[in-house]
């Protein structure tokens, strides 16, 4: 059981919040496709003999590629890896790339999970974030996805956008849940350094919403998602039973994966590596026979901290038996000693086997997680 992530780094327009590696030009897309296909065979041994249970096309914007181009990438994956028959295959789509014929083509490739980047149903928010599409286009796209016969459909939304009120957020959620989606990823807007929003913040042209507002919006999200039958299995991810993202859940459960394309990360249990974050550098290095990457060997403390960081964000929480087995008495005692005060304040729930955040704890998850990390 292992995963494959494919990073398609092209975007037609710059979203003002986005810090994911992308280039605003499709000029190099053919050269990139050739290099990507080559990288698949060059790195076919990275996962040993593990079979592939999830494939995820992310970006950037995978939907800049035609059905034939996606087919060629999937074909090469099948030539070089053993793909399980019920493999979850997800593709991120930008609403304005969606058409009935495109969707029918993707269905024909056995892609079985669609992730639609809607972000907001309010045109004001979409304009402010410099999205390429309107709310009406997003609605058409979502309807088209269902009409094409996809049932495992997830939507991305962003909240905490300056100018979006609690009522707007409620309306966004209500409208989202009025479709038959099976999964929602809802992210609080993060203003990253170096993005357009980051620069606006520095110049005082933008103000972040305050913590109380953030908590109110997060509470609304939790309540509405639960009322609509969704389970919050990770801080930002909500799924109907049976529809949690297998690919992302595997990241959080330390399952191995290979990341293909510029900036993509790979993990094999002992080390992490990440491809060069530069399209031209990536293409050149792959064509020369060795994708350029950096690597970090994971010592026990790093593995402990990574485990804390990912597991505490999930509904499964920290598995205390796993901690004792992997990090021995030292790791186990470290957690138990810290847990008391958080339990007292109602921020965590703990039994003999697991330690999970309560709803109150989820509000300040970043602070709690950093307290549980072992210092360097
Ligand atoms: C890798 S992005 C790409 C998805 C796709 N290209 C699109 O734009 O629809 C995945 C999701 O992360 C979220 N995201 C990216 N940057 C964010 C930020 N700074 N704050 C909050 N959410 C963000 C957005 O919801 C986005 O759809
Ligand atoms: S949010 Fe998506 S479309 Fe927008 S810049 Fe980021 S990757 Fe590209």
């Amino acid at each position: 059981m292992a995963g494959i992530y494919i990073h398609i780094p092209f975007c037609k327009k710059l979203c003002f919040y986005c810090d994911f590696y992308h280039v605003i030009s499709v000029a190099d897309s053919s050269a990139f496709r050739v290099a990507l296909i080559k990288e698949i065979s060059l790195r076919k041994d990275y996962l040993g003999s593990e079979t592939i249970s999830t494939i995820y096309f992310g970006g950037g914007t995978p939907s800049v590629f035609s059905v034939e181009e996606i087919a060629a990438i999937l074909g090469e994956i099948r030539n070089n890896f053993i793909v399980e028959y019920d493999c979850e295959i997800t593709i991120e789509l930008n609403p304005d790339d969606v058409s009935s014929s495109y969707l029918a083509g993707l269905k024909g490739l056995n892609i079985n999970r669609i992730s639609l980047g809607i972000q907001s149903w309010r045109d004001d928010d979409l304009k402010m974030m410099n999205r390429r599409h309107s709310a009406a286009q997003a609605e058409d796209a979502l309807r088209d996805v269902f009409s094409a016969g996809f049932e495992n459909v997830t939507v991305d939304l962003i909240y905490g956008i300056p100018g979006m009120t609690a009522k707007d957020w409620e309306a966004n959620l209500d409208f989202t849940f009025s479709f038959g989606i099976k999964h929602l990823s809802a992210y609080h807007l993060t203003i990253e350094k170096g993005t357009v929003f980051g620069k606006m913040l520095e110049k005082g042209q933008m103000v972040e919403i305050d913590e109380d507002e953030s908590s109110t919006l997060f509470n609304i999200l939790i309540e509405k998602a639960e009322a609509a039958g969704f389970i919050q299995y990770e801080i930002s991810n909500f799924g109907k039973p049976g529809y949690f993202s297998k690919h992302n859940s595997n990241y959080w459960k330390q399952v191995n994966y290979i990341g293909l394309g510029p900036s993509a990360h790979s993990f094999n249990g002992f080390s992490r590596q990440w491809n060069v974050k530069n399209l031209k550098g990536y293409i050149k290095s792959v064509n020369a026979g060795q994708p350029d990457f950096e690597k970090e060997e994971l010592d026990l403390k790093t593995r402990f901290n990574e485990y804390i960081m990912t597991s505490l964000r999930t509904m499964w929480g920290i598995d205390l038996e796993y901690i004792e087995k992997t990090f021995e008495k030292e790791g186990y005692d470290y957690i138990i000693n810290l847990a008391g005060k958080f339990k007292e304040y109602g921020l965590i729930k703990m039994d003999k086997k697991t330690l999970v955040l309560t709803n109150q704890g989820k509000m300040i998850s970043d602070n709690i997680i950093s307290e549980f990390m072992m210092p360097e």
Side-chain angles (χ1 to χ4, degrees):
M1 179 170 83
I4 297 184
Y5 173 77
I6 305 123
H7 191 75
I8 315 281
F10 304 103
C11 294
K12 295 179 188 159
K13 200 172 163 188
L14 172 78
C15 302
F16 288 165
Y17 53 82
C18 186
D19 192 33
F20 286 83
Y21 178 65
H22 60 264
V23 291
I24 307 292
S25 156
V26 287
D28 288 326
S29 69
S30 299
F32 165 71
R33 198 187 64 247
V34 172
L36 179 67
I37 285 178
K38 188 161 176 189
E39 189 192 1
I40 295 170
S41 58
L42 283 173
R43 297 186 61 209
K44 66 176 194 294
D45 296 327
Y46 181 80
L47 296 167
S49 57
E50 285 195 79
T51 56
I52 303 304
S53 51
T54 65
I55 298 175
Y56 194 102
F57 287 89
T61 321
S63 46
V64 299
F65 275 163
S66 66
V67 170
E68 292 71 27
E69 288 169 319
I70 300 283
I73 298 164
L74 272 177
E76 192 62 6
I77 289 175
R78 290 183 194 280
N79 288 342
N80 287 279
F81 294 90
I82 299 166
V83 177
E84 294 172 16
Y85 79 98
D86 59 349
C87 182
E88 176 190 271
I89 310 182
T90 307
I91 187 165
E92 287 178 354
L93 300 182
N94 213 301
D96 52 322
D97 290 329
V98 169
S99 69
S100 306
S101 59
Y102 190 64
L103 290 163
L106 297 179
K107 193 127 202 3
L109 302 179
N110 290 331
I111 288 178
N112 48 30
R113 188 166 180 270
I114 298 290
S115 170
L116 202 59
I118 287 173
Q119 320 306 356
S120 173
W121 294 108
R122 286 172 15 103
D123 281 330
D124 286 351
D125 297 336
L126 297 172
K127 275 202 199 98
M128 189 216 175
M129 295 189 288
N130 205 34
R131 291 290 292 175
R132 277 154 60 191
H133 56 90
S134 63
Q137 273 175 302
E139 186 178 341
D140 287 346
L142 190 49
R143 291 193 197 285
D144 286 348
V145 169
F146 286 114
S147 303
F150 288 98
E151 55 123 23
N152 194 351
V153 179
T154 178
V155 158
D156 284 351
L157 292 181
I158 298 182
Y159 63 101
I161 303 166
M164 177 196 266
T165 63
K167 279 224 155 5
D168 295 332
W169 179 227
E170 284 180 12
N172 264 355
L173 288 168
D174 287 340
F175 194 58
T176 305
F177 294 140
S178 71
F179 295 88
I181 61 163
K182 296 289 195 291
H183 188 279
L184 167 70
S185 297
Y187 304 104
H188 191 293
L189 177 68
T190 344
I191 301 192
E192 309 275 2
K193 265 198 165 161
T195 60
V196 174
F197 279 170
K199 288 175 190 152
M200 285 168 70
L201 193 69
E202 266 171 32
K203 290 184 194 153
Q205 295 164 343
M206 186 175 178
V207 189
E208 279 183 281
I209 72 162
D210 67 35
E211 274 183 27
D212 286 348
E213 279 179 88
S214 289
S215 299
T216 305
L217 299 176
F218 188 59
N219 270 329
I220 292 172
L221 169 63
I222 293 180
E223 278 166 21
K224 285 216 172 271
E226 196 180 325
F230 288 79
I231 298 165
Q232 184 181 26
Y233 68 104
E234 198 264 353
I235 298 267
S236 308
N237 285 285
F238 302 79
K240 289 265 172 90
Y243 289 94
F244 299 171
S245 158
K246 284 190 197 144
H247 188 80
N248 288 341
S249 301
N250 285 348
Y251 286 153
W252 305 322
K253 291 177 182 167
Q254 275 68 45
V255 172
N256 296 345
Y257 59 89
I258 182 169
L260 304 162
S263 81
H265 284 230
S266 306
F267 168 74
N268 65 2
F270 303 99
S271 67
R272 275 188 196 287
Q273 62 185 64
W274 50 99
N275 283 351
V276 60
K277 210 173 177 177
N278 174 301
L279 180 59
K280 287 198 192 298
Y282 166 79
I283 295 173
K284 200 170 157 204
S285 65
V286 174
N287 288 340
Q290 172 60 66
D292 200 359
F293 66 91
E294 282 182 62
K295 185 170 173 179
E296 182 192 12
E297 298 295 340
L298 302 173
D299 60 22
L300 208 57
K301 194 181 280 179
T302 313
R303 282 172 60 199
F304 178 89
N305 284 342
E306 285 195 353
Y307 178 75
I308 298 297
M309 214 160 32
T310 47
S311 63
L312 258 187
R313 291 179 57 91
T314 70
M315 64 182 261
W316 303 284
I318 295 176
D319 177 342
L320 294 169
E321 282 174 6
Y322 171 82
I323 288 281
E324 198 166 16
K325 207 169 73 196
T326 316
F327 306 106
E328 303 187 346
K329 193 170 169 351
E330 191 194 340
Y332 181 82
D333 288 349
Y334 176 84
I335 296 216
I336 300 298
N337 287 339
L338 269 174
K341 68 171 175 182
F342 294 107
K343 207 174 155 195
E344 226 169 86
Y345 287 119
L347 298 168
I348 60 167
K349 281 183 290 193
M350 192 168 80
D351 58 28
K352 278 196 178 128
K353 288 189 169 166
T354 52
L355 187 160
V356 288
L357 295 182
T358 59
N359 277 353
Q360 214 186 328
K362 287 177 198 164
M363 302 272 177
I364 51 162
S365 58
D366 287 347
N367 300 352
I368 300 178
I369 287 167
S370 66
E371 293 238 15
F372 271 98
M373 307 272 272
M374 274 194 192
E376 286 307 311

